[in-house]
Amino acid sequence: MSQYKFKHLFEPIQLGKTVFRNRIFASPQDYPGLTDNRFLTEEAAYFYERKALGGFASVCVGDMMVDAAYGRSHPFQMRGNDFLGKANFTRVSTAIIRHGAMAAIELVHAGQNANPLLMPENRGYVLGPCDGIRPDGVEIRGMNDEQIAELIMAYADAASFARQCGFGMITLHGGHGWQMSQFISARDNKRTDQWGGSIENRMRFPLAVVEAVRKRIGPAVPIEFRMSGTEFLPDGYDIDEGIRIAQALDGHVDLIHVSVGHHEIDAASMATHPPMFRPDGCNVTYAAAIKKVVKTPVATVGALTDPAMMEEIIASGQADVVALGRQTLADPDLPIKARLGREEEITPCLRCFNCFSHSTVGGVFYCTVNPEIGREQLSMTQAPPMHKKTVLVAGGGMGGMEAALTAAKRGHTVILCEKSDRLGGALLCEENIPFKANLAVYIKRQAQKVSRSPIKLHLNTEVTPELAKSFQPDVIIAAMGARPMIPNIPGIEGKNVVGAEAVYYQPEIVGNKAVIMGGGLVGIELGIFLAQKGHDITIVEMANGTIATPPQVEGTSGRMSGLMEMPLGFPLVHGVGLMEELKKFKNLQIRVSTKALEVTAEGLVVEGADGIRTIEADTVIYAIGQKPLREEAYALADYAPEFYTIGDCVTPKTIYEATSVGYQIATDIGRY
């Protein structure tokens, strides 16, 4: 293996009696799009197969309920251990295995965090380690010995069923606030019998499950145990307790999968799924601490995108396996690209939570940087175009680049024109933001892909009707973007006023005190960026909430409004991450239900619940949205038989909308 750059990463590993082809595993992910009976669909098979095709050693199907009647916490959870779903499960495992990967499946039960409304009788209570009342008022009834024994057997039955369906590794979820972790954690488990109290007693239930599963599936099939190294809760356990938990598991399972956090608390959930504000590999330290004290192989997970970092993790002995979650969506080909030495072509996860937001609201994973996600079946079975065409793409932003790359990949002759001297569009202003490091990598790599492709690139070239006509294209894709909207208020042309884009390019022009007009995504992220640099920031928003409303908000009648209602695709979960990040800054205030009236030399005059007042500021920044360049785009409509508009020149939205539409339009070209 010495001829490979990442020789440790691609060294096989044996778990139990099963050999895995490398150390890169796809961590458990559920598939929200289920049948009416909550079984996996044909599309689900393609979803998981795509990861196996990309070279992952193990692909884990998440959220198989061991008790489909009483263990569910949300609607998008599949029924397990049901004969009617056997064919569905078998199709999925086969789709994974035929590409040389191991098909794994995660067994879960929500326990006291189950949703009573999803239970057959809507019985109004849930089962947990001991009696109690949840914050939402739902009664928790402590399980008796008979119920505990039945649940242990339910795990074993589910594992046996999974083996019958072709799954070769069983993953037991014992972290993140799920049922087994409720017995493990002293925060939830207050029992005084053999199932609670000491760490030995609190580990009795998970170890009993492991033993029952082992007896049912035999010694050859590996068992992976997913745990939280620390709960990241004020009253939860820390890494010292996490180490003791791992030591109790040592020798009983084949892989200890060390995650962190807790799904029921926002702040802890953001530790489980690190937002863009946390550094890459931020949770590795917890796996490394456990690796030092156990003999069982250890997996680490969380914010891993770079094969070089993964190689160092394995080579330095911090972990034996790296498990990837959202990165498997951003680029399911990461393993094969890394093995071939083409790591510069890997598309990094932006940690923008577009995938989580869409799956939460609409029930489908969609990825900002990979438009194939949510379309796996189509992308893997797409026929080549019937007719090859000349395609002119006007605009080299993210949507334009995606359209050009897709059209070129499908064999069309592509001309890409960009009016500036660089590809990347409006997002170039954000490439030096510390928490947007992966965005900068994405922009750079998309531009590199263009330069290495047969695309005919023209920089410093604005597409006019005359130029478009000269190319004689069959298809024009207008991706011309938008320009910042400027508030129509007195004083907006003052020397102390500047747009958000200019601030990103030259943050040094901002004074110590600044006020930002606009509490949308741009305004909030800009506020965080400037607060990190030490500026005193006030964000003014006309609506009665922002995408993330933290405690230090004025104008909400003393309440914390949390997240606004958002349309499909809005960064819902990113809003949670923003809210948690905003809590860190005492130098950042947000005023909602507040209208900007005038800019003066002293700052911004506003009108809110407390009347008219001046917010003192050295710099006033506007971030109120973008105006699409529709006229410029539609001026090209008559210069090709086919004409399409994408991205911000239609309606300014997100990177996802631009790349998704750009990909699909380019894919559609050539049908006629």
Side-chain angles (χ1 to χ4, degrees):
M1 295 294 290
S2 59
Q3 70 268 33
Y4 298 108
K5 185 173 182 179
F6 307 114
K7 62 179 182 178
H8 296 92
L9 202 54
F10 289 97
E11 181 181 355
I13 184 172
Q14 181 171 332
L15 302 177
K17 296 186 178 180
T18 301
V19 176
F20 295 76
R21 59 185 175 186
N22 60 54
R23 307 298 183 95
I24 314 172
F25 287 19
S27 66
Q29 282 182 332
D30 63 346
Y31 186 80
L34 305 176
T35 67
D36 291 343
N37 292 325
R38 302 201 318 277
F39 295 135
L40 292 170
T41 61
E42 183 179 5
E43 288 83 359
Y46 282 98
F47 175 78
Y48 295 108
E49 182 177 9
R50 185 63 186 84
K51 303 180 186 189
L53 177 64
F56 285 90
S58 172
V59 177
C60 189
V61 176
D63 268 16
M64 175 178 171
M65 302 306 302
V66 302
D67 179 357
Y70 302 109
R72 297 168 65 202
S73 61
H74 59 82
F76 306 127
Q77 288 175 307
M78 60 186 173
R79 292 166 61 186
N81 196 21
D82 189 317
F83 181 80
L84 295 177
K86 179 172 281 191
N88 303 61
F89 281 109
T90 301
R91 276 195 291 266
V92 171
S93 70
T94 302
I96 295 169
I97 294 167
R98 65 181 171 219
H99 295 284
M102 176 58 64
I105 193 161
E106 178 190 51
L107 309 187
V108 299
H109 190 291
Q112 68 186 30
N113 293 322
N115 187 342
L117 298 179
L118 299 177
M119 297 175 185
E121 298 90 9
N122 187 16
R123 60 188 180 188
Y125 66 89
V126 294
L127 296 177
C130 49
D131 294 343
I133 301 294
R134 292 194 327 202
D136 61 359
V138 173
E139 178 189 3
I140 305 171
R141 294 188 183 179
M143 300 173 68
N144 58 40
D145 286 350
E146 181 179 351
Q147 291 169 324
I148 289 173
E150 289 176 353
L151 188 51
I152 291 170
M153 286 302 102
Y155 278 101
D157 291 342
S160 177
F161 175 76
R163 285 291 296 129
Q164 295 171 34
C165 297
F167 289 90
M169 183 163 73
I170 303 300
T171 300
L172 300 175
H173 202 335
H176 302 168
W178 290 91
Q179 185 270 330
M180 268 197 277
S181 71
Q182 294 160 21
F183 270 83
I184 293 171
S185 174
R187 173 181 180 268
D188 295 317
N189 188 347
K190 308 294 185 183
R191 299 176 73 111
T192 58
D193 61 1
Q194 63 175 330
W195 304 104
S198 67
I199 182 66
E200 292 77 16
N201 283 352
R202 285 183 279 115
M203 288 300 297
R204 193 179 304 279
F205 179 85
L207 290 176
V209 171
V210 170
E211 182 181 3
V213 169
R214 177 64 73 202
K215 286 182 179 179
R216 193 67 63 88
I217 66 175
V221 180
I223 297 175
E224 175 185 26
F225 193 94
R226 196 178 188 195
M227 62 168 286
S228 292
T230 170
E231 290 186 295
F232 267 103
L233 296 172
D235 55 349
Y237 66 78
D238 58 13
I239 185 59
D240 291 336
E241 182 80 341
I243 288 172
R244 287 188 284 271
I245 293 167
Q247 287 174 320
L249 293 167
D250 196 16
H252 296 278
V253 298
D254 301 290
L255 181 65
I256 300 175
H257 177 137
V258 182
S259 183
V260 299
H262 194 289
H263 273 177
E264 301 305 309
I265 308 297
D266 284 347
S269 179
M270 289 297 100
T272 305
H273 311 288
M276 62 178 63
F277 306 104
R278 302 196 69 196
D280 281 8
C282 54
N283 292 337
V284 174
T285 180
Y286 303 102
I290 286 172
K291 172 68 178 167
K292 292 178 181 178
V293 298
V294 298
K295 296 180 180 179
T296 301
V298 170
T300 186
V301 66
L304 297 171
T305 63
D306 182 6
M309 174 181 284
M310 300 176 205
E311 170 73 8
E312 173 59 24
I313 290 168
I314 305 298
S316 62
Q318 296 178 79
D320 302 284
V321 167
V322 289
L324 311 186
R326 287 167 288 172
Q327 181 59 42
T328 68
L329 306 181
D331 196 339
D333 289 327
L334 181 148
I336 187 64
K337 289 178 180 178
R339 184 176 175 89
L340 294 175
R342 296 167 64 177
E343 64 273 16
E344 289 299 317
E345 297 178 24
I346 292 171
T347 302
C349 171
L350 304 185
R351 286 189 258 144
C352 64
F353 290 114
N354 190 76
C355 52
F356 283 12
S357 297
H358 270 280
S359 65
T360 299
V361 177
V364 182
F365 282 123
Y366 289 123
C367 177
T368 290
V369 296
N370 184 2
E372 292 186 7
I373 298 303
R375 304 179 176 96
E376 292 86 1
Q377 182 173 7
L378 178 64
S379 68
M380 293 175 69
T381 59
Q382 183 78 36
M386 295 179 65
H387 306 282
K388 301 295 176 65
K389 302 200 173 187
T390 297
V391 180
L392 170 62
V393 181
M398 306 317 299
M401 282 196 284
E402 184 62 48
L405 288 166
T406 303
K409 185 177 180 180
R410 290 181 59 77
H412 301 291
T413 298
V414 180
I415 303 163
L416 174 60
C417 295
E418 165 55 39
K419 65 182 178 181
S420 71
D421 61 353
R422 289 183 62 192
L423 295 172
L427 291 177
L428 287 172
C429 69
E430 299 185 14
E431 62 182 349
N432 292 319
I433 302 173
F435 54 83
K436 294 290 186 80
N438 283 355
L439 174 62
V441 172
Y442 170 56
I443 296 171
K444 176 183 176 182
R445 290 183 179 174
Q446 287 293 90
Q448 288 174 338
K449 290 175 185 177
V450 170
S451 67
R452 295 167 182 167
S453 75
I455 295 170
K456 300 173 184 178
L457 175 63
H458 299 267
L459 296 175
N460 298 304
T461 303
E462 184 173 0
V463 179
T464 62
E466 293 74 22
L467 182 64
K469 183 178 181 180
S470 70
F471 284 125
Q472 297 183 319
D474 302 304
V475 182
I476 292 177
I477 300 175
M480 305 174 82
R483 65 169 66 95
M485 293 177 62
I486 302 174
N488 184 21
I489 60 174
I492 197 65
E493 296 180 357
K495 294 182 179 180
N496 59 338
V497 181
V498 65
E501 186 173 321
V503 172
Y504 276 135
Y505 278 120
Q506 295 178 287
E508 66 275 8
I509 66 178
V510 179
N512 181 54
K513 289 185 177 182
V515 58
I516 299 172
M517 289 183 278
L521 189 60
V522 173
I524 294 291
E525 290 185 347
L526 177 60
I528 291 173
F529 171 64
L530 293 173
Q532 288 177 338
K533 297 176 72 67
H535 297 272
D536 290 327
I537 303 298
T538 301
I539 298 174
V540 172
E541 170 58 44
M542 288 182 62
N544 64 359
T546 67
I547 61 171
T549 307
Q552 61 270 37
V553 169
E554 298 179 36
T556 55
S557 302
R559 64 181 177 85
M560 179 175 171
S561 64
L563 300 175
M564 295 171 61
E565 289 188 12
M566 303 178 199
L568 177 64
F570 201 85
L572 174 71
V573 184
H574 183 46
V576 177
L578 288 169
M579 183 167 62
E580 293 303 317
E581 188 67 17
L582 286 165
K583 291 177 182 178
K584 301 176 183 179
F585 299 104
K586 295 182 179 179
N587 57 328
L588 194 159
Q589 302 292 319
I590 300 177
R591 292 181 58 89
V592 296
S593 301
T594 301
K595 181 180 180 180
L597 300 178
E598 180 183 6
V599 179
T600 68
E602 288 73 34
L604 182 67
V605 180
V606 300
E607 182 178 13
D610 54 353
I612 296 176
R613 58 173 289 191
T614 297
I615 300 175
E616 294 183 1
D618 304 304
T619 309
V620 177
I621 306 167
Y622 55 87
I624 63 169
Q626 301 279 320
K627 181 180 180 181
L629 297 174
R630 289 182 189 144
E631 292 183 7
E632 292 85 342
Y634 281 98
L636 308 177
D638 295 334
Y639 296 92
E642 292 183 59
F643 175 76
Y644 305 97
T645 58
I646 65 173
D648 287 352
C649 71
V650 182
T651 300
K653 290 186 178 179
T654 65
I655 306 172
Y656 161 70
E657 273 86 9
T659 57
S660 176
V661 176
Y663 168 85
Q664 192 60 58
I665 285 177
T667 300
D668 294 341
I669 292 170
R671 294 189 304 122
Y672 294 99

